Amino acid sequence: MPTPPRPLTALGALVPDCALPDGSRLADRRGQPLILAFAAHAWDPAAAYQSALFARLVQEFDGGAAFVDVPPPAETWHALDAHGAVAARFGLTGQRALVLLDEQGRLRWQVTVAPGQPIQAGQVLAALEALRPAPGAAPRPAVSAPAEAPAPGSGLSRRTFLTATLAASALLLLLGAGTAAEAAPPELAPNVAPRPAADGTVPLTLRINGQSHRLQVEPRVMLLDALREQLHLTGTKKGCDHGQCGACTVHLDGHSALACLTLAVMNEGRTITTIEGLARGEELHPVQAAFVKHDAFQCGYCTPGQIMTASALVQDQQKRSAAEIREAMSGNLCRCAAYANIIAAIQEVQGA
Amino acid sequence: MHPFQYQRASSPAQASAAVAAQPTAAFVAGGTSQLDLMKEGVLHPELLVDVTPLGLTSITPLEGGGLRLGAGVSNTAAALHPLVRQRYPAVSEALLAGASTQIRNMASLGGNPLQRTRCPYFRDPAQPCNKREPGSGCAALGGYNRVHALFGASDKCVATHPSDLAVALAALDAQVQTLGPGGPRVIPFTELHRLPGDTPQQDTTLAHGELITSLDLPAFNGRSHYLKVRERASYAFALVSCAVALEMEGKKIRRARVALGGVAHKPWRLPAAVETMLAGQKPSEKLFRAAAAQAFAEARPLEHNAYKIPMGRNLLVRALLETSGLQPLQGPAGTAFAASVGGVSGEVAAQ
Amino acid sequence: MLEHTGKPLDRVDGRLKVTGAARFSAEWDVPNLAYGAIVGSTVARGTVRAIDTAAARAAPGVLAVLTPENAPRLQPLPEKVGGTLFRGEGGMTETRQPLQDAAVHYAGQPVAVVVADTLERARHAASLVRVRYEEQAPELTMQAASHRTLPETFVGAKDEKLQVTVGDPQAALAAAPVRLERVYQSAITHHNPIEPLATIARWEQRPGGPFLTLYDTSRGVENLQEVVSTSLGLPKESVQVVCPFIGGAFGAKGWLFAPPLLTAMAAQLVGRPVKIEWRRQDMFSVAGQRAATHQTLRLGATRDGKLLALQHDTQTHASITSGYTEPCARVSRMLYAVPHLGFSHQLAHLHLPSPCPMRGPGETVGGWALECAMDELAAELSLDPVELRLRNYAEKNPETGKPWSSKHLRECYERGQKLIGWDQRNPKPRSMREGTQLVGYGMATTMYPAARRPAEARATLFADGRALVQSATHELGNGAYTIFRQISADGLALPLERVRFELGDSALPTAPTSGGSATTATIGPAALEACRNVLTALKRLATQSPQSPLHGQAEDAIEARDGRLVLKADATRGEDYAAILRRAKLPSVAATASVKPGEEREQYSFYSFGAVFVKVRVDEASGSIRLARLCAVYDVGRLMNPKTAHSQIIGGVMMGLGATLMEETQYDQRTGRAVVRNLADYHVPSLADTPDITVEWLGIPDPHISELGARGIGEIGCVGTPAAITNAVYHATGQRLRSLPLTPDKLLRS
């Protein structure tokens, strides 16, 4: 997985003054902790909810924290452009991020979410723990804090810490707490029953979108529920839960399959691809792009499943007739019935 | 779903022994039927033995011209296999007419014939059903029985068997290779499933713990064909379906074997007398109509399924006409449209 | 002025939807989440005598079992919300609050909720709850109903009377030279959006008291906020409903409130956030449905096809706890010039789940009956079906006498005939074949009321030159994010990428439930007005600032152009929005708008129209009917985005196809339990069922509905399609099928 960018400003160092999009300057804001929120170009309408949540955050802090472009208590939250000049100062090029400056304008904390990646809960919590002003206690270094960072506790008010904590919880809530991902898959012991723990759960490693995920699940957990409820990979949808709609389609070893009719434990050692793993970074898979272009969806709920079936279908690069596409795609129900546009989208990809 | 233990099989013998040893154990392969019913609360095994690690995924020619289909072969792989398409088009057509791309990718040939009935009362644990809970009664008998059986039903159960593949295998007299607690054995496909009688909970003649290892298709030099009527153009279970295996001698039929789906608790091979009627005859619509009339003479409709009699008769006639070449296929052979009456897109119809 | 509006832009939420990043209601990652599972009644009528929860509570991970005994007490539902009558005969919704008493009125009614730490554990424990009922014999057929009513109005709307007589239809029928009386029946159908109902409820202690956040699959976030706060006895401000994306609704997800209330109660009981995602099986009992109908159509006409009288009498059903009435005469009351017009709606209360609106409520199946009867009349009179309709063309609303706001139906008939090749068909029934199949052509008129409702919006301009426009409306596939961004960008004279439109949150400015094809006509003008207001505020800032090049100018001498305020007379004199705000040291400036339709609603009758022509193939041997081709032309006003509009219309067409050929829910006639309760047995059309579709629109703006000239398009595609197909089946086979859906058994039986 891509490593998060290192902030250009070291933790604890003074952030150089710069102009903010609202016309003010960073230096003018000293004297109170400051949260800078960066949103990627990819717009997320869940921001309506973010607005309310950030406004509340500010209110609860008694005016102690501010967002750069709206004075508290504001009703709306307007994110900084993650591709903009201010973002570049923090080493950001399109990633969503929250940055915390303390009262003196020093960089105290930064959490970055790479596109398409869930935020790492453990990393955030460890960073916060390191921020905690604990008089008398030996400070633990923050996981990513460089050596030159001043000892946490010095010059750090409780208010800053609490602001950071709240910001982090907001971020966790908004962006989805992912489970820790491991770089290397452990060896799968073939033909051996996983040994259940006392609570009936078994250890399990799933290789999803090129990453290995360690889980501890009951054998009865379906792959679909493992994806959605445990790994928060919610792009794979639950429509009927019984193999009758196709909304949960994923690729298992390159073939389209239904995540609702296979146990998570049956998929150890398989290569699993979900809709989250289809695009290459910012670049959409051709089927995804064609779906947008041909408006091959309306509500978008069945869409990931449609795209997973279609992308498995076109990978052999055979040109199928409309009749063959019709049959091959009939396992994905679309109640908005964008079917005519789905056929057009697939035909375009085939023709390319 | 009830909690259960999960095991990966290490060999067919180990798998069979593991299931045989525990009355509440079951095999799982593709999972598309077994897990579906576990989630519905219809089945609750305490041990699931996953047979997918066994492989059993090869398709191998048999001496004498037959073909062995491993039980672990996916529906997709079998349907698209050149030898299956060439020698047994009915098998390919039946597979492609069933379910969806994704389910065909997951489902295994061994599991497919073992899928349970689509009777809605069987699938709702709050309803009486002798098949799910022996002695609780049959709610379909006096209930909504539009998709139920015309033949061979009992006062305990009027369910039908849902597999498309099974209908084709019955017409082709396939053989089932199994490995059970008593060792390996071979079961004629037509004897794999049973009629409900007083024990509808028992779908097949397999012993507990008996694992299907392959389906063997005997040598066949005739024409075969599968047709299915469903309520939407794809992705629906058969109301009625029909598989025909026709061997010709010159312009005459040497041997005809016909099985119907959607009409009984098992794939319904026509009575020998009806198949014999066709032997030695020149194919004609008149002959086929006479056979169809005879085939449905013993049908016993319920309150809501009498329509299956004209539907089945007509389908049988059409299947025979198309197989014998007297009528063109509805769509290009080898695609599902050949097997989906009326499921014709504008493009296909224009051809 | 409309630079973006009307363009066929890609959906602005397209990328989120194709990458799986669009967040639906069950997908919010709320820490410490617990899971609820429903125990539904196995009987349709009776009383819960005892609930044994011991085994469930002892099961691993179980936190609590919510039953009528320990469930928080709820206040009654409000009588009316947002002008919609909830209670009583003709009312919108189920009035009984969940888990407040022991009575059971339909099978599947929730009687308990099990909450556990994982989904699997909750579902399993739910299967361990044992409920003892005292059963009574349920009434399950309209014939058997002992409780029948004649509701006065549809959901309390004063202009939607359900029992109406204009003139003397009985006498006119008796005197008519040609009379036709037919009975049409339609089955219960379900919306079956692919996203199931789901709610996450999260309680917090806030300084002002308890606060409830609901992430719900609701297309009426404010309605739900009001219902839930009233039910729980909380101030309205203490409940927030969030729903940025809805995975399809089609009439569901708006008016039945037990699912979110149960989740809120469960979360309260366990002191943790709780999620309840409904199983597809349960959607057949709690999510609403289109009621079955039994409609009698009587037409009286002259020999040359002039209608003299029309009587449309409907029997339909509701549950015991709801008075919702399928308003089948919605088409009959307005479509043709008939001097004597009567209609009635009789409601039978049954021990079945509660019906609610479903795409084209009344219009889809009521219009089907009328347009089939018209086809039968045309055959009786040996008239071309289009000609019969032209002879009865209504130049004004026959019920109210008001002129139409805009009607160009003749052009639709004309164009539709050309598209399908109407003249090339052999009009004789059973005369056309292709291969082994019979071929038939059919047509029907379609219509839809063009509603507009009051709404509010807020526009905020930021000092970085970007803007945010907000309203508590919904994205349910209707393209709301896209078209309201287009409209807002036009309203603010900004490029599209500098404007964002937010919705789906009850904290945003007031908007009604998204339904009745009214969202565009309702929210569009509100967004536009809010944009205008914020520009007015900006003009004031500029004209009052001595440093501004616009200082001292009259506001009406200034216009907005390309993100700048400029003098109308001299576009070189002006400055951009950001400069004005920066100088004023304002991070942003915001304005709201509250708009509602005006007197035009009293002066005109607002409807959209269309003509649907189809070709069907009938395989008589198997009884299978397939729609081969559909050509339809619609008069729906100006389109905001032809690309998303096209999708919406073909989606409506396909839902009409489903209702006609395959969709049907069955309940066991003895027990009242759903026997069609999954998507394998309930057939929604698949991709393979898609015909060759050509849809066109006239694109003539409605001059009276709003300055945008846009009427709604969400439902009109669904209406008309069923009758066109049914009439084509008659043309193909010579058989009149009068019972939906037209499944193979019906063709083989008749």
Side-chain angles (χ1 to χ4, degrees):
Chain A
M1 78 171 274
T3 45
R6 268 173 86 94
L8 296 187
T9 305
L11 283 184
L14 201 66
V15 175
D17 190 25
C18 65
L20 295 171
D22 64 354
S24 67
R25 301 201 61 87
L26 202 55
D28 301 342
R29 301 275 186 167
R30 288 194 188 137
Q32 60 180 10
L34 189 64
I35 295 173
L36 304 177
F38 295 90
H41 269 335
W43 152 85
D44 188 346
Y49 178 72
Q50 281 175 348
S51 305
L53 194 116
F54 276 82
R56 239 185 61 222
L57 189 63
V58 170
Q59 276 170 355
E60 284 178 11
F61 265 81
D62 197 22
F67 295 101
V68 289
D69 57 354
V70 184
E75 286 188 356
T76 55
W77 169 68
H78 193 63
L80 289 161
D81 182 357
H83 287 282
V86 181
R89 283 190 178 274
F90 293 90
L92 300 170
T93 48
Q95 304 92 336
R96 291 172 289 176
L98 273 189
V99 170
L100 176 73
L101 309 184
D102 67 14
E103 294 86 337
Q104 287 105 52
R106 292 175 190 278
L107 178 64
R108 277 301 172 188
W109 183 71
Q110 177 171 348
V111 174
T112 306
V113 189
Q117 296 297 331
I119 190 168
Q120 307 290 307
Q123 182 194 342
V124 176
L125 295 174
L128 279 176
E129 187 59 29
L131 269 179
R132 181 180 290 279
R140 287 197 346 226
V143 281
S144 57
E148 65 269 28
S154 68
L156 188 69
S157 73
R158 175 170 169 74
R159 201 168 60 172
T160 306
F161 170 70
L162 288 175
T163 305
T165 310
L166 258 187
S169 67
L171 196 70
L172 287 175
L173 193 61
L174 293 169
L175 303 179
T179 45
E182 302 293 329
E187 288 301 302
L188 166 64
N191 305 342
V192 172
R195 187 183 300 273
D199 62 354
T201 62
V202 293
L204 171 67
T205 301
L206 293 178
R207 184 136 189 97
I208 304 166
N209 303 331
Q211 285 184 48
S212 289
H213 297 265
R214 274 202 196 131
L215 294 169
Q216 186 75 29
V217 297
E218 290 188 273
R220 63 180 161 177
V221 172
M222 293 290 157
L223 177 60
L224 176 61
D225 295 319
L227 291 173
R228 284 174 66 82
E229 304 301 334
Q230 312 218 11
L231 297 168
H232 303 287
L233 288 167
T234 55
T236 306
K237 303 301 182 194
K238 182 182 280 190
C240 70
D241 213 16
H242 286 272
Q244 299 155 356
C245 77
C248 65
T249 303
V250 296
H251 295 176
L252 298 179
D253 291 334
H255 299 286
S256 57
L258 301 177
C260 77
L261 287 183
T262 184
L263 299 172
V265 288
M266 293 175 76
N267 289 282
E268 195 151 41
R270 282 183 174 162
T271 298
I272 302 165
T273 308
T274 70
I275 189 73
E276 289 91 347
L278 207 57
R280 291 180 189 280
E282 296 270 304
E283 189 193 340
L284 294 178
H285 183 282
V287 171
Q288 291 173 312
F291 265 59
V292 174
K293 177 178 166 191
H294 290 276
D295 208 37
F297 52 88
Q298 287 190 52
C299 77
Y301 195 81
C302 76
T303 310
Q306 301 275 0
I307 289 173
M308 294 311 283
T309 305
S311 58
L313 189 70
V314 301
Q315 65 193 353
D316 62 8
Q317 304 195 341
Q318 280 182 31
K319 194 153 185 173
R320 286 176 174 78
S321 69
E324 289 171 308
I325 295 172
R326 280 162 179 266
E327 172 50 36
M329 291 298 299
S330 276
N332 290 83
L333 300 179
C334 171
R335 190 54 158 157
C336 300
Y339 294 133
N341 299 344
I342 291 171
I343 298 172
I346 294 172
Q347 281 177 325
E348 178 178 292
V349 175
Q350 285 192 148
Chain B
M1 200 191 295
H2 291 222
F4 56 83
Q5 305 253 310
Y6 168 82
Q7 256 184 35
R8 291 195 188 100
S10 54
S11 72
Q14 180 270 328
S16 168
V19 171
Q22 194 171 329
T24 56
F27 299 113
V28 65
T32 53
S33 179
Q34 177 73 28
L35 297 174
D36 172 26
L37 289 168
M38 287 167 66
K39 279 204 262 192
E40 283 275 18
V42 173
L43 303 177
H44 6 81
E46 291 173 4
L47 170 68
L48 266 193
V49 177
D50 182 355
V51 295
T52 51
L54 301 180
L56 304 174
T57 54
S58 57
I59 295 179
T60 42
L62 293 172
E63 272 178 43
L67 198 61
R68 170 161 294 170
L69 310 174
V73 173
S74 75
N75 285 18
T76 303
L80 301 181
H81 195 277
L83 286 178
V84 176
R85 297 180 82 148
Q86 184 194 327
R87 297 184 194 172
Y88 311 96
V91 171
S92 180
E93 289 171 343
L95 285 167
L96 291 174
S100 66
T101 304
Q102 299 95 307
I103 292 176
R104 292 192 291 267
N105 286 343
M106 301 170 80
S108 67
L109 295 188
N112 182 296
L114 301 183
Q115 58 185 302
R116 311 295 302 272
T117 182
R118 301 299 306 184
C119 173
Y121 297 98
F122 171 70
R123 300 177 71 86
D124 179 357
Q127 302 267 16
C129 170
N130 289 322
K131 184 182 279 297
R132 190 186 62 246
E133 203 181 324
S136 62
C138 174
L141 206 48
Y144 176 66
N145 47 36
R146 190 166 162 269
V147 298
H148 291 73
L150 294 175
F151 299 107
S154 71
D155 62 352
K156 299 287 190 295
C157 181
V158 293
T160 57
H161 193 265
S163 162
D164 292 298
L165 171 66
V167 183
L169 295 179
L172 288 161
D173 281 314
Q175 304 225 303
V176 185
Q177 301 275 353
T178 71
L179 183 69
R185 68 169 175 146
V186 183
I187 308 167
F189 192 83
T190 49
E191 290 170 24
L192 175 66
H193 297 92
R194 53 186 298 285
L195 291 176
D198 288 336
T199 51
Q201 67 272 24
Q202 197 72 36
D203 283 0
T204 68
T205 54
L206 294 176
H208 180 68
E210 190 170 1
L211 178 71
I212 295 180
T213 53
S214 75
L215 302 168
D216 292 356
L217 290 162
F220 176 66
N221 285 321
R223 303 174 191 166
S224 71
H225 187 32
Y226 184 74
L227 276 180
K228 169 177 179 178
V229 184
R230 43 186 163 179
E231 282 186 352
R232 64 181 165 196
S234 181
Y235 203 16
F237 288 93
L239 293 173
V240 179
S241 71
C242 178
V244 175
L246 218 53
E247 287 152 281
M248 305 296 288
E249 199 166 304
K251 293 195 166 170
K252 286 186 178 166
I253 298 169
R254 188 166 63 78
R255 184 182 179 208
R257 287 172 291 170
V258 182
L260 296 169
V263 296
H265 195 257
K266 58 185 288 188
W268 189 249
R269 262 294 281 275
L270 297 193
V274 183
E275 292 187 355
T276 313
M277 256 177 85
L278 298 166
Q281 305 290 318
K282 246 181 95 175
S284 74
E285 182 162 349
K286 193 178 163 204
L287 172 71
F288 296 155
R289 290 218 171 274
Q294 196 63 34
F296 283 83
E298 300 295 314
R300 295 283 172 272
L302 302 161
E303 192 182 348
H304 304 118
N305 69 351
Y307 72 93
K308 284 188 176 182
I309 295 176
M311 179 184 282
R313 271 198 228 113
N314 294 342
L315 191 72
L316 208 163
V317 170
R318 175 172 296 168
L320 285 165
L321 285 171
E322 290 187 1
T323 313
S324 60
L326 292 183
Q327 207 174 74
L329 297 184
Q330 291 281 316
T335 76
F337 286 95
S340 177
V341 168
V344 181
S345 73
E347 186 195 21
V348 171
Q351 285 167 358
Chain C
M1 151 204 148
L2 297 182
E3 188 195 330
H4 305 291
T5 308
K7 293 248 171 74
L9 296 178
D10 292 348
R11 280 171 205 266
V12 300
D13 51 356
R15 191 184 178 91
L16 290 166
K17 286 175 174 175
V18 301
T19 56
R23 200 193 315 265
F24 291 88
S25 300
E27 299 169 356
W28 292 81
D29 179 17
V30 176
N32 202 27
L33 188 63
Y35 294 80
I38 301 297
V39 180
S41 169
T42 56
V43 307
R45 182 184 188 185
T47 309
V48 173
R49 281 298 169 221
I51 303 183
D52 178 0
T53 61
R57 281 185 287 116
V62 171
L63 302 170
V65 182
L66 187 73
T67 67
E69 274 184 23
N70 64 357
R73 292 301 99 187
L74 298 176
Q75 302 299 312
L77 278 184
E79 180 84 22
K80 260 187 168 194
V81 174
T84 300
L85 180 71
F86 272 20
R87 300 163 154 279
E89 300 305 310
M92 185 57 104
T93 187
E94 192 168 302
T95 48
R96 180 180 173 274
Q97 294 281 44
L99 298 189
Q100 302 298 297
D101 59 58
V104 172
H105 303 292
Y106 55 85
Q109 175 189 307
V111 294
V113 182
V114 178
V115 186
D117 58 354
T118 71
L119 174 65
E120 292 77 17
R121 287 169 155 182
R123 291 258 164 99
H124 175 231
S127 73
L128 303 177
V129 173
R130 294 284 165 265
V131 185
R132 196 159 53 79
Y133 302 92
E134 186 177 307
E135 281 187 66
Q136 286 175 276
E139 293 179 355
L140 298 168
T141 63
M142 285 198 255
Q143 297 82 346
S146 60
H147 182 202
R148 292 164 189 276
T149 59
L150 293 167
E152 278 176 35
T153 63
F154 178 69
V155 304
K158 66 178 187 335
D159 56 352
E160 281 239 48
K161 295 200 168 49
L162 292 172
Q163 324 291 342
V164 166
T165 303
V166 178
D168 190 347
Q170 300 316 315
L173 274 169
V178 182
R179 282 191 297 273
L180 184 120
E181 178 173 340
R182 297 286 184 270
V183 173
Y184 299 91
Q185 287 176 274
S186 64
I188 295 175
T189 55
H190 274 83
H191 316 77
N192 273 319
I194 302 299
E195 178 200 35
L197 299 180
T199 313
I200 296 172
R202 176 167 171 260
W203 288 90
E204 292 163 86
Q205 203 53 47
R206 291 212 183 155
F211 187 92
L212 174 66
T213 307
L214 292 174
Y215 306 88
D216 186 83
T217 51
S218 173
R219 65 183 169 94
V221 289
E222 295 202 6
N223 256 2
L224 184 56
Q225 178 192 29
E226 181 154 348
V227 164
V228 170
S229 58
T230 306
S231 300
L232 295 168
L234 291 171
K236 194 173 169 184
E237 303 70 45
S238 297
V239 176
Q240 186 178 10
V241 182
V242 178
C243 181
F245 288 105
I246 301 169
F250 316 110
K253 300 179 176 173
W255 302 111
L256 292 163
F257 305 107
L261 282 169
L262 287 169
T263 319
M265 287 195 281
Q268 200 170 19
L269 190 71
V270 300
R272 266 172 81 163
V274 168
K275 167 155 81 180
I276 300 181
E277 195 170 7
W278 293 71
R279 301 188 313 154
R280 179 62 53 183
Q281 295 90 317
D282 299 325
M283 300 272 288
F284 289 84
S285 24
V286 300
Q289 57 182 239
R290 191 197 301 284
T293 69
H294 179 284
Q295 305 174 56
T296 306
L297 255 294
R298 277 176 285 179
L299 301 179
T302 63
R303 296 237 164 258
D304 60 359
K306 188 81 197 69
L307 284 175
L308 299 170
L310 192 172
Q311 180 72 36
H312 187 165
D313 298 309
T314 298
Q315 286 181 54
T316 180
H317 67 88
S319 68
I320 300 301
T321 61
S322 162
Y324 179 79
T325 308
E326 183 77 8
C328 283
R330 273 184 160 180
V331 184
S332 295
R333 66 193 281 215
M334 54 63 67
L335 196 56
Y336 296 113
V338 192
H340 301 280
L341 174 66
F343 53 86
S344 70
H345 295 79
Q346 191 192 67
L347 199 57
H349 288 274
L350 302 178
H351 292 93
L352 289 177
S354 297
C356 75
M358 180 168 168
R359 208 171 199 172
E363 294 92 354
T364 298
V365 292
W368 165 73
L370 173 69
E371 285 297 278
C372 287
M374 287 295 280
D375 202 69
E376 299 206 33
L377 182 63
E380 189 101 359
L381 297 169
S382 302
L383 266 182
D384 184 288
V386 179
E387 178 57 29
L388 176 67
R389 285 159 173 89
L390 289 173
R391 288 189 189 178
N392 292 286
Y393 198 85
E395 299 290 356
K396 57 180 188 189
N397 185 313
E399 185 194 356
T400 64
K402 287 181 194 170
W404 307 111
S405 63
S406 175
K407 177 177 178 179
H408 305 276
L409 179 56
R410 278 195 189 88
E411 291 94 309
C412 297
Y413 288 134
E414 218 166 280
R415 179 73 185 141
Q417 288 182 77
K418 281 212 184 76
L419 287 171
I420 196 93
W422 189 246
D423 295 344
Q424 275 98 64
R425 85 196 197 285
N426 180 344
K428 196 167 160 262
R430 230 187 145 72
S431 64
M432 299 181 73
R433 274 181 183 276
E434 282 174 18
T436 57
Q437 296 175 339
L438 294 165
V439 167
Y441 288 80
M443 63 81 56
T445 316
T446 180
M447 52 61 78
Y448 206 79
R452 183 184 162 189
R453 307 196 173 108
E456 294 178 9
R458 176 173 53 230
T460 309
L461 265 174
F462 294 94
D464 63 356
R466 292 189 288 187
L468 177 65
V469 183
Q470 297 166 303
S471 182
T473 187
H474 313 85
E475 170 64 50
L476 25 72
N478 50 358
Y481 280 121
T482 308
I483 64 165
F484 297 134
R485 189 190 276 192
Q486 289 175 271
I487 292 169
S488 301
D490 279 336
L492 293 166
L494 279 174
L496 214 57
E497 58 277 8
R498 279 165 67 184
V499 180
R500 201 164 73 185
F501 188 88
E502 288 183 349
L503 49 72
D505 188 332
S506 62
L508 298 178
T510 293
T513 295
S514 289
S517 298
T519 302
T520 300
T522 299
I523 306 299
L528 210 50
E529 186 70 10
C531 293
R532 204 168 285 149
N533 290 346
V534 80
L535 289 181
T536 303
L538 202 63
K539 284 177 191 173
R540 205 154 297 159
L541 282 176
T543 55
Q544 288 170 1
S545 165
Q547 291 91 44
S548 170
L550 300 172
H551 180 243
Q553 296 288 338
E555 278 168 29
D556 58 7
I558 300 171
E559 66 180 0
R561 198 183 287 179
D562 302 329
R564 291 164 57 82
L565 291 184
V566 296
L567 272 187
K568 283 179 185 167
D570 175 10
T572 61
R573 249 183 89 191
E575 58 182 340
D576 65 31
Y577 304 163
I580 300 169
L581 286 177
R582 279 201 201 105
R583 182 178 334 101
K585 295 215 179 300
L586 285 174
S588 65
V589 55
T592 57
S594 177
V595 303
K596 57 182 179 192
E599 278 180 6
E600 72 279 3
R601 285 273 146 187
E602 301 304 316
Q603 292 161 1
Y604 298 100
S605 189
F606 288 86
Y607 283 92
S608 283
F609 295 92
V612 185
F613 292 82
V614 303
K615 173 188 175 184
V616 300
R617 286 203 181 84
V618 181
D619 181 73
E620 230 177 1
S622 66
S624 301
I625 301 164
R626 302 281 191 243
L627 182 57
R629 180 158 165 73
L630 179 140
C631 300
V633 183
Y634 300 94
D635 171 24
V636 291
R638 177 188 278 134
L639 293 182
M640 302 290 93
N641 180 329
K643 191 176 233 178
T644 59
H646 180 263
S647 297
Q648 241 182 319
I649 290 177
I650 64 171
V653 162
M654 290 299 289
M655 195 167 275
L657 180 160
T660 314
L661 296 182
M662 58 189 81
E663 295 184 32
E664 175 171 23
T665 304
Q666 288 279 348
Y667 293 88
D668 186 279
Q669 295 289 291
R670 302 155 303 179
T671 65
R673 288 191 65 78
V675 282
V676 170
R677 55 196 269 284
N678 60 50
L679 292 178
D681 297 334
Y682 188 96
H683 295 132
V684 312
S686 73
L687 192 142
D689 294 286
T690 310
D692 177 359
I693 303 180
T694 305
V695 299
E696 292 188 0
W697 39 80
L698 303 178
I700 303 167
D702 187 318
H704 301 295
I705 190 156
S706 77
E707 63 186 297
L708 290 166
R711 300 192 294 252
I713 50 168
E715 288 158 277
I716 194 165
C718 194
V719 184
T721 302
I725 296 173
T726 309
N727 296 337
V729 171
Y730 164 73
H731 178 234
T733 65
Q735 290 189 46
R736 288 287 180 191
L737 299 182
R738 301 191 185 93
S739 169
L740 291 182
L742 312 179
T743 43
D745 50 328
K746 291 181 182 154
L747 201 65
L748 287 165
R749 199 183 295 142
S750 56

